[in-house]
Amino acid sequence: MRVLVIGSGAREHALCVALSSDPAVTALACAPGNAGTRAIAEAAPVDVADPVAVAALATGWGADLVVVGPEVPLVAGAADAVRDAGIACFGPSEQAAQIEGSKSFAKHVMAAAGVPTARSWPVGGAAELETVLDEAGAPYVVKDDGLAAGKGVVVTTDRAAAVAHGHRVLDAGGAVLVEEYLDGPEVSLFAVTDGTTVLPLVPAQDHKRRDDGDAGPNTGGMGAYAPLPWAPAELVEEVLATVLQPTVDEMRRRGEPFSGLLYAGLALTSRGVRVVEFNARFGDPETQVVLPLLETPLAGLLHAAATGTLAEHPPLRWRDGAAVTVVVAAAGYPEAPRTGDPVTGADGEGVLHAGTTVDAEGTVRSAGGRVLAVTATGADLAAARQAAYERVAAVRLAGAHWRSDIALAAVEGRITVD
Ligand code: AMP
Ligand code: GLY
């Protein structure tokens, strides 16, 4: 099977690592890719936001399966264009990707499917903003309704900051949603689906804030770990029954079947599990810790989802142990990341590339805010964590920063579910 991965982050590097270890994969490409994916997959330039270009590349390269990593091409219709070209594609249609592309669409689907989520209030315009915030009360959760790469949400007890964020989104022409605040630890649970059958993967936890102790601004994600030793034993079965399957069934009922990766961002609140958000793709950086634990060959699984044959797929097999990934970010991330710095010590096992490129002299340079996702597995979380940080210590990148507490609260048993 010739497999083409679309995207250029550490999630795509992790996908390439897993795909390249599947004996069914005879050729692998990652477009546009990064300095890390180039070592194990062919590279090709492509504008991922252009569905016609993505489909043309897939056809020209002779792909049997296209795996779309990021949300931007999905929301633009890349999966539809690839399927129209007669090639199997892992990823939802443009319509179905609205579950991530529009938070209000996701809320409608959840309401129709009876899926538990935060109450939300759409804001009709600037004049309504403060009234809506006061109705919802503190802590305030103010969201850009559209795609914002994880940076469209402000959660704060500071009313002025909440008002300012709402105005910023409205002034930029966006729509604002105010939400009920959800307490409790967060879980990212991925499910592979062909639109009917739903296979959940192992739960993971992301660390969204920039700094240790969950301080600082929200980012795309600073690190992750899996599995979750503190999660209730029945969590996956419960979320499958109350969130994932009803959502997939509702999408099919609407005539917009969702196939690909349904990512449920959950809060385990004192009143039960609530959906914080859906994404229409593998999470980044959670994928970097989920895939190393998956023993089932990945290409066969994704191909089954892309071709509607997941019901015949054998049950997933998982490795024992745990995985931890630590994101090494560029100076200035997330506000204004500096790029172009040389990166060394980044070619060892488990060092997944996110924002990197190779210059004309062959030097690897930073090319994005999140530069590397340094990943390790171990017999347990503590061992995986230690191994990941040992690998981080070998990386050289001027101005780099990373959190030193990825998976620490879980290792120390400080996470509790009411
Ligand atoms: P989102 O872009 O919707 O995933 O939100 C980004 C992050 O903001 C989430 O991972 C949560 O940490 C936080 N967040 C979003 N919605 C809520 C909410 N209703 N209550 C508390 N925290 C939230
Ligand atoms: N880790 C957050 C996301 O992928 O959206």
Side-chain angles (χ1 to χ4, degrees), residues 107 117-121 133 135-143 153-157 177-186 209 214 218 267-272 274-276:
K107 288 288 184 192
T117 184
R119 279 188 67 190
S120 75
W121 297 264
L133 283 171
E135 191 182 337
Y140 305 100
V141 181
V142 186
K143 299 192 172 187
V153 179
V154 163
V155 180
T156 179
T157 52
L177 276 187
V178 170
E179 274 190 14
E180 165 197 11
Y181 175 77
L182 300 175
D183 60 350
E186 287 186 46
R209 301 282 186 149
D214 293 329
N218 255 324
L268 308 194
T269 77
S270 45
R271 285 167 299 125
R274 298 283 184 276
V275 173
V276 176

Side-chain angles (χ1 to χ4, degrees), residues 57-103:
L57 174 66
T59 304
W61 187 73
D64 301 305
L65 173 68
V66 175
V67 178
V68 182
E71 62 277 16
V72 166
L74 292 168
V75 169
D80 309 80
V82 170
R83 281 192 278 268
D84 286 349
I87 298 170
C89 186
F90 183 78
S93 66
E94 177 181 352
Q95 282 292 328
Q98 286 304 307
I99 202 150
E100 171 167 2
S102 162
K103 291 186 192 290

Side-chain angles (χ1 to χ4, degrees), residues 151 208-211 216-220 222 329-337 369-370 401:
K151 293 157 206 155
K208 289 227 166 72
R209 301 282 186 149
R210 185 189 61 195
D211 303 327
N218 255 324
T219 69
M222 293 299 290
Y333 179 74
E335 290 87 2
R370 293 190 291 181
H401 61 99

Side-chain angles (χ1 to χ4, degrees), residues 172-416:
V176 172
L177 276 187
V178 170
E179 274 190 14
E180 165 197 11
Y181 175 77
L182 300 175
D183 60 350
E186 287 186 46
V187 172
S188 303
L189 184 59
F190 302 166
V192 173
T193 177
D194 59 4
T196 304
T197 300
V198 182
L199 295 184
L201 308 187
V202 291
Q205 190 176 51
D206 187 8
H207 295 62
K208 289 227 166 72
R209 301 282 186 149
R210 185 189 61 195
D211 303 327
D212 282 5
D214 293 329
N218 255 324
T219 69
M222 293 299 290
Y225 65 95
L228 309 177
W230 47 267
E234 66 291 351
L235 179 69
V236 174
E237 281 311 309
E238 181 192 339
V239 175
L240 176 61
T242 62
V243 173
L244 298 167
Q245 191 71 55
T247 300
V248 167
D249 291 345
E250 170 61 19
M251 293 294 285
R252 197 174 61 248
R253 196 194 60 74
R254 287 173 172 244
E256 295 161 6
F258 184 100
S259 75
L261 196 291
L262 181 62
Y263 164 143
L266 307 163
L268 308 194
T269 77
S270 45
R271 285 167 299 125
V273 174
R274 298 283 184 276
V275 173
V276 176
E277 60 162 349
F278 282 126
N279 292 317
R281 42 133 187 115
F282 279 101
D284 188 346
E286 297 97 316
T287 301
Q288 291 88 305
V289 291
V290 170
L291 293 184
L293 300 176
L294 179 68
E295 199 170 75
T296 300
L298 185 64
L301 173 64
L302 303 188
H303 189 265
T307 54
T309 56
L310 216 45
E312 290 118 63
H313 193 277
L316 301 183
R317 294 189 317 274
W318 295 95
R319 298 192 172 95
D320 291 337
V324 171
T325 191
V326 179
V327 169
V328 174
Y333 179 74
E335 290 87 2
R338 187 175 84 203
T339 58
D341 290 308
V343 187
T344 58
D347 42 15
E349 193 196 341
V351 181
L352 300 168
H353 286 226
T356 63
T357 185
V358 187
D359 70 13
E361 283 81 49
T363 305
V364 176
R365 291 186 182 273
S366 58
R370 293 190 291 181
V371 181
L372 303 170
V374 181
T375 309
T377 55
D380 58 20
L381 263 188
R385 183 170 187 280
Q386 188 179 348
Y389 278 107
E390 278 166 15
R391 288 176 183 171
V392 169
V395 171
R396 293 288 171 270
L397 166 63
H401 61 99
W402 56 85
R403 280 181 61 159
S404 69
D405 65 347
I406 303 302
L408 186 60
V411 167
E412 293 181 343
R414 283 189 278 118
I415 305 184
T416 52

